[in-house]
């Protein structure tokens, strides 16, 4: 590590001279020693074929520039954006990285990227040209196009009417005319743009989602409902198309890798439809240690040679126009189709306001596909977008708060000193040893619990936008509790979500305790055989990681393909869309969470039951108690001291059960089944990175639970046996 | 009040037969004590009467009605458990009232009966406490009160005094006797302590290894034990036994010869049973030996003398000078000699005049 730093320092001083000499390939100056190779670090999130294409390009570059060594780092896509946000302002970031323009534009606006020389050969260069300065060079173009199964649809549709007709004609039992992720706004954008809809109004670039064009686009898609599979996920669409059970699909170049042997072709989406175009660029960090070398690598990667390599090996739809003169590319129907679609696509808006549009649009799509009127759905989406893209609250001075905090700290210290010493003075050695034993656990608690907690509470006093934090005092709390921007009874209101969370907790804990206790009573029967087997089987739900269980149940609740729907059909009941109504979505969540939670209560109840002396039941029998009387007057009261802590614990866990809510219902319909903790998550990671707001949410959750434990502690103390 | 009758009752747990063919009749209003060493089946028998176990064979009847298949709650019995089994989460008042509350008895009547039982057992100041706040004796009384309040036909006691200290035990014995006199109810009492058995019972039943060995009035059993076990079980200190042979009207054993009481057959191998009260330390007597151990109890004392035929325990007056190691002679009251045949059966003897 240190050697590497010294190396970098040495090369940095060596390249402090004007850039012309750094990349000189002309007569090398005589040197006393061979210069160490210059090092460039490039981050990307490619896999498989695309990664192979990139590697091939890098190899070519290194051949041309033997004095430059390129180090690649592949980062999984989910972690990539936040890693970059964190690393770009520091010295530990990459020199170059590859990213799509939607997000990259944000980093450019934050001043993280170095300017580059433009190239007219590149398609889509305007995506990363901000205020006239080119800050990224396009490498590949990504948009969706129309995949069609050549056996079912030999000639692709040329108009919207044809698309609808072919889709309906090809829909029979088990086969669908069209399969695509219609609840994902990225795909729907093709229709929105096709019907002439826009997302923003000028001046001010404010979201304007409730337009007649948007309504028409939604209505068109809704009318296609019968020809498409419901609740489509990427896995479902791929599976259907692969098995020849989807005549057409709308998807991007990445889809090809999942299709196996089905006979398909890619065509342009019928005429008015214009999908979003995502331009994947190579970008140079402003803090690159070798700016000239980095710029030269970037130019090379966007250049013709690298483009051909990436197209041939990585199957990328490259942005370099001249690359398409190569016969290998020209003969590739797949690449040419996507290239043609790219010309007819619309650059995805990369303004900061765009981030606030995705979730509201998704909610509107889900609502319309489950029967809500498009105008109403869009109106709600508009309200959501406005609420999410809330302007920053006024910055406040931190001094009053600092002073208040200092006063509180002083008061706490005084109170502690004043408190009567209850323990006797221990010899110093004993005390020191005791602290030594406690120290490791205390240290880990400090680092893992207290420090993040304090950080989170502190964060709730700030507002975050584009990497910058401003102090806003208690404004976040006021906004949350005052339910600004939306009605109290709307799902995005804190109070609505609090009510849902309370209902969620009460129903679940009641079921957990009820079922757990009933099973424990059954297992206690001394005459029951195979008790050991039952006990193991009943523990299994708790043992399986709840993440997996949640995904399994979500699959089972799928309206068309889920096991629950098949069961309902077998019973002669019409299957329902579980996630289109609050009651059924809530029930689906409750079923999953109860499945996960009852074993814990069962185990606690079993243990508690075994601690009740058998003689008490005999005495009760002699006194004239029936089995029910015995349960009510002996079992239940004696179980209470053991069950109460379990109930308290269980309710706190359930209150914060993120996994089930997020993975099973995903908050549908329209965010109604979201609980406080999943709302906080969305504020932080799905709505404009509103970290401060989300931290305030979390602090409120903490305060609610704190109050709850204080109440239950009092109840528990009253229950202490005399 | 009701009488209880058991006829030919058998009960096994797994392969172990715990109660082997017991016939027992408890009259209405009698205080019957079931006594015997640990493991002899007396507690199991009590639980069979209560209905907490079902017999494998035989019949149990309460008040003339067969209790086959009747659950404990329908038998109208009250039971006091060895560990009291008080409901820990209820106050004393609630414990006492529990049985009545289950039967939806009127509030006023419950209060009456609870008050009455509490007064009888001196529990009135404790009514609002929980069992955890009571001493052993107080809990014992609450357990009894709980049974009394319901006024059952039969009271069942399962070694209720065994968890109490000696002084409290004596006091509670007296209270139990008073209780029986007051309530005049049928009581079946199980204990392994023969002192309790002797003092409390109007009828005594001795059990050993699942069988009923003898039943009758306590003094009857004491004076005329039907077999060796009953003889050795009742009476403290226990009877001493010496082997002897009946020869020409005398009991001839190792180092001693006693006149044989009438009824003993010539040539029989017998065991001679001698209670400490039948023996005395004297200058002369049929038994001779060295004093092995001395127990002084104040008013009197017991000396164990090692004779040639075996150890015997003799009673002496408190003031007598008895020392370990001394050689003494033991005089025998011939009228209080018990004889037992080889199989343990007592040999009926006609009362003979002391010689």
């Amino acid at each position: 590590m240190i050697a590497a730093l010294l190396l970098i320092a040495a090369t940095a001083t060596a390249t402090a001279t004007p850039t012309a000499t750094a990349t000189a390939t002309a007569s090398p100056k005589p040197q006393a020693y061979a210069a160490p190779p210059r090092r460039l670090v490039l981050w990307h999130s490619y896999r498989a074929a695309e990664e192979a294409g990139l590697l091939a390009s890098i190899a070519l570059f290194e051949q041309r520039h033997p004095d430059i060594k390129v180090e690649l780092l592949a980062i999984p896509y989910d972690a990539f954006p936040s890693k970059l946000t964190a690393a770009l302002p520091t010295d530990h970031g990459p020199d170059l990285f590859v990213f799509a323009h939607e997000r990259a534009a944000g980093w450019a606006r934050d001043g993280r990227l170095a300017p580059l020389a433009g190239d007219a050969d590149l398609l889509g260069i305007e995506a990363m040209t901000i205020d006239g300065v080119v800050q990224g060079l396009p490498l590949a173009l990504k948009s969706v196009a129309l995949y069609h199964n050549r056996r079912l649809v030999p000639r692709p549709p040329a108009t919207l009417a044809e698309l609808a007709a072919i889709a309906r004609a090809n829909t029979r039992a088990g086969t669908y005319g069209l399969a695509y992720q219609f609840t994902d706004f990225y795909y729907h954008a093709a229709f929105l743009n096709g019907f002439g809809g826009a997302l923003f109004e000028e001046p001010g670039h404010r979201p304007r989602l409730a337009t007649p064009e948007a309504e028409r686009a939604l209505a068109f898609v809704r009318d296609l409902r019968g020809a498409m599979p419901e609740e489509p996920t990427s896995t479902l669409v791929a599976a259907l198309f692969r098995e020849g059970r989807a005549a057409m699909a709308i998807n991007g170049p990445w889809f090809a890798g999942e299709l196996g042997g089905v006979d398909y072709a890619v065509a342009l989406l019928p005429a008015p439809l214009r999908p979003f175009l995502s331009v994947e660029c190579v970008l140079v960090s402003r803090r690159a240690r070798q700016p000239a070398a980095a710029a030269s690598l970037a130019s090379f990667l966007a250049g013709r040679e690298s483009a051909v390599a990436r197209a041939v090996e990585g199957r990328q739809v490259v942005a370099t126009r001249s690359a398409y003169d190569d016969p290998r590319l020209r003969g590739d129907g797949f690449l040419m189709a996507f290239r043609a679609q790219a010309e007819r696509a619309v650059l995805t808006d990369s303004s900061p306001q765009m981030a606030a549009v995705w979730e509201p649009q998704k909610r509107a799509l889900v609502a319309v596909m489950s029967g809500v009127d498009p105008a109403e759905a869009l109106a709600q989406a508009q309200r959501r977008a406005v609420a999410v893209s809330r302007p920053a609250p006024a910055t406040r001075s931190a001094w009053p708060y600092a002073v208040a905090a200092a006063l509180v700290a002083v008061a706490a210290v005084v109170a502690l000193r004043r408190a009567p010493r209850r323990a006797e003075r221990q010899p110093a050695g004993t005390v020191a040893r005791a602290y030594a034993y406690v120290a490791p656990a205390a240290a880990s608690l400090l680092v893992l619990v207290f420090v993040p907690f304090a950080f989170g509470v502190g964060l709730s006093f700030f507002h975050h936008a584009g990497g910058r934090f401003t102090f806003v005092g208690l404004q976040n709390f006021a906004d949350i509790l005052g339910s600004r921007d939306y009605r109290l009874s709307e799902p995005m209101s804190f109070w609505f979500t609090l009510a849902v969370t309370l209902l969620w907790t009460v129903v679940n804990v009641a079921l957990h305790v009820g079922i757990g206790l009933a099973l424990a009573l059954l297992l206690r029967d001394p005459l029951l055989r195979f008790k050991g087997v039952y006990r193991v089987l009943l523990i299994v739900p708790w043992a399986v990681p709840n993440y997996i269980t949640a995904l399994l149940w979500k699959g089972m609740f799928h309206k068309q393909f889920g096991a629950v729907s098949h069961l309902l059909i077998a019973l002669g009941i019409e299957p329902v869309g579980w996630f289109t109504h609050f009651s059924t979505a809530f029930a689906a969540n409750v079923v999953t969470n109860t499945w996960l939670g009852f074993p814990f209560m069962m185990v606690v109840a079993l243990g508690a039951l075994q601690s009740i002396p058998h003689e008490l039941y005999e005495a009760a029998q002699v006194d004239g108690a029936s089995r029910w009387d015995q349960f009510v007057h002996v079992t239940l009261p004696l179980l209470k001291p053991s069950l109460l802590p379990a109930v308290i614990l269980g309710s706190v866990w359930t209150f914060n059960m993120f996994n089930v809510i997020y993975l099973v219902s995903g908050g549908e319909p329209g965010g109604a089944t979201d609980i406080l903790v999943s709302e906080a998550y969305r504020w932080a990671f799905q709505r404009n990175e509103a970290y401060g707001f989300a931290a305030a949410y979390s602090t409120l959750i903490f305060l609610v639970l704190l109050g709850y434990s204080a109440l239950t502690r009092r109840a528990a103390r009253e229950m202490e046996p005399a | 009040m009701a009488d209880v009758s058991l006829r030919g009752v058998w009960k096994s747990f797994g392969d172990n037969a715990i109660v082997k063919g017991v016939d027992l009749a408890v009259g209405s209003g009698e205080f019957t004590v079931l006594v015997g060493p640990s493991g002899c089946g007396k507690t199991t028998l009590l639980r069979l009467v209560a209905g907490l176990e079902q017999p494998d064979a035989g019949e149990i009847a309460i008040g003339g009605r067969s209790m086959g298949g009747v659950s404990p709650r329908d038998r109208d019995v009250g039971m006091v458990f060895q560990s009291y089994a008080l409901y820990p989460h209820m106050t004393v008042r609630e414990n006492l009232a529990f049985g009545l509350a289950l039967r939806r008895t009127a509030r006023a009547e419950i209060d009456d009966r609870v008050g009455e039982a509490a007064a009888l057992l001196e529990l009135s100041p404790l009514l609002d406490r929980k069992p955890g706040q009571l001493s052993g004796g107080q809990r014992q009384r609450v357990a009894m009160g709980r049974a009394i309040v319901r006024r059952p036909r039969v009271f069942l006691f399962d070694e209720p005094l065994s968890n109490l200290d000696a002084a409290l035990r004596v006091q509670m014995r007296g209270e139990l006797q008073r209780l029986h006199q007051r309530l005049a109810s049928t009581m079946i009492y199980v204990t392994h302590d023969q002192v309790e058995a002797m003092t409390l019972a109007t009828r005594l039943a001795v059990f050993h290894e699942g069988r009923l060995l003898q039943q009758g009035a306590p003094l009857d059993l004491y004076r005329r034990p039907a077999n060796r076990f009953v003889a050795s079980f009742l009476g403290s200190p226990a009877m001493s036994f010496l082997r002897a042979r009946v020869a020409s009207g005398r009991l001839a054993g190792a180092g001693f010869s006693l006149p044989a009481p009438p009824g003993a057959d010539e040539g029989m191998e017998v065991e001679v049973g001698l209670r400490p009260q039948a023996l005395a330390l004297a200058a002369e007597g049929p038994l001779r030996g060295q004093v092995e151990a001395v127990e002084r109890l104040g008013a009197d004392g017991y000396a164990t003398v090692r004779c040639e035929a075996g150890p015997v325990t003799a009673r002496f007056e408190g003031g007598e000078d008895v020392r370990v190691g001394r050689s003494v002679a033991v005089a025998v009251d011939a009228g209080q000699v018990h004889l037992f045949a080889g199989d343990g059966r007592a040999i009926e003897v006609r009362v003979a005049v002391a010689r």
Side-chain angles (χ1 to χ4, degrees), chain A residues 678-696:
Chain A
S678 60
E679 269 292 290
Y681 171 84
R682 290 189 202 284
W683 278 112
F685 301 108
Q686 286 181 357
R687 298 175 191 158
N688 248 344
E689 295 175 347
Y691 294 138
F693 201 73

Side-chain angles (χ1 to χ4, degrees), chain A residues 625-660:
Chain A
S626 64
R627 289 188 70 115
W628 176 251
D629 290 326
Q630 289 172 43
F631 178 71
V632 170
H633 295 288
V634 178
T635 310
L636 275 188
L638 290 176
L639 274 184
K640 249 196 269 185
S642 309
L643 275 187
L644 192 64
V647 165
I648 295 173
L649 209 56
S651 36
V652 171
W653 287 340
T654 305
F655 198 87
N656 279 338
M657 176 46 88
F658 176 82
N659 288 4
V660 170

Side-chain angles (χ1 to χ4, degrees), chain A residues 365-389:
Chain A
L365 281 163
V366 172
V368 165
M369 293 310 266
S370 51
V372 175
D373 174 55
E376 194 186 312
L378 284 170
Q380 248 231 12
Q382 174 67 13
R383 276 202 299 280
R384 270 184 179 275
V386 166
V388 167
S389 53

Side-chain angles (χ1 to χ4, degrees), chain A residues 233-379:
Chain A
T233 60
S234 63
T235 326
L236 182 61
V237 169
L240 285 172
F241 196 82
R242 192 170 47 232
E243 293 166 17
R245 289 164 60 195
M248 297 181 284
I250 301 178
N251 225 315
W254 55 83
F255 194 50
E258 309 183 44
L259 293 183
V262 66
D263 180 19
Y264 72 93
V266 179
L268 284 172
L269 286 167
L273 299 183
R274 303 176 68 205
F276 274 154
L277 180 66
S278 187
V279 181
E280 214 164 58
C281 302
V282 59
L283 310 135
V284 174
S285 165
R286 199 178 275 265
R287 298 185 77 124
R289 289 159 282 264
Q290 314 266 6
S296 110
L297 174 58
S299 296
F300 181 85
L301 284 175
R304 185 175 186 277
E305 213 180 333
S306 156
V308 170
R310 286 183 291 110
V312 169
E313 292 216 36
R315 308 281 289 145
Q316 283 188 328
V317 184
V318 296
T320 314
R321 286 195 182 87
S322 53
Y324 290 93
D325 295 335
D326 188 305
R328 285 173 292 180
L329 272 73
R330 242 200 318 231
D332 188 331
F334 182 84
L335 288 182
M336 296 310 287
F338 276 104
R339 158 81 201 275
Q341 185 72 72
E343 304 262 12
R344 220 198 266 179
V346 172
L347 268 183
T348 321
D349 189 316
S350 58
S351 63
Q353 293 86 337
M354 185 63 188
V357 160
W358 296 97
E359 197 203 340
Q361 286 283 11
K362 176 185 163 118
R363 298 263 188 233
L365 281 163
V366 172
V368 165
M369 293 310 266
S370 51
V372 175
D373 174 55
E376 194 186 312
L378 284 170

Side-chain angles (χ1 to χ4, degrees), chain A residues 615-616 618 620-621 623 633, chain B residues 47 52 83 86-87 89 103:
Chain A
E615 274 199 333
L616 288 181
E618 292 180 343
Q621 278 181 6
D623 273 344
H633 295 288
Chain B
R47 290 165 63 86
L52 296 170
S83 63
L86 299 179
Y87 306 116
H89 55 286
R103 283 170 176 65

Side-chain angles (χ1 to χ4, degrees), chain A residues 598-620:
Chain A
F598 80 84
F600 175 70
M601 291 298 173
M602 184 187 78
V603 166
V604 170
L606 255 181
L609 281 173
Q610 282 164 355
S611 71
I612 301 178
H614 190 59
E615 274 199 333
L616 288 181
Y617 291 108
E618 292 180 343

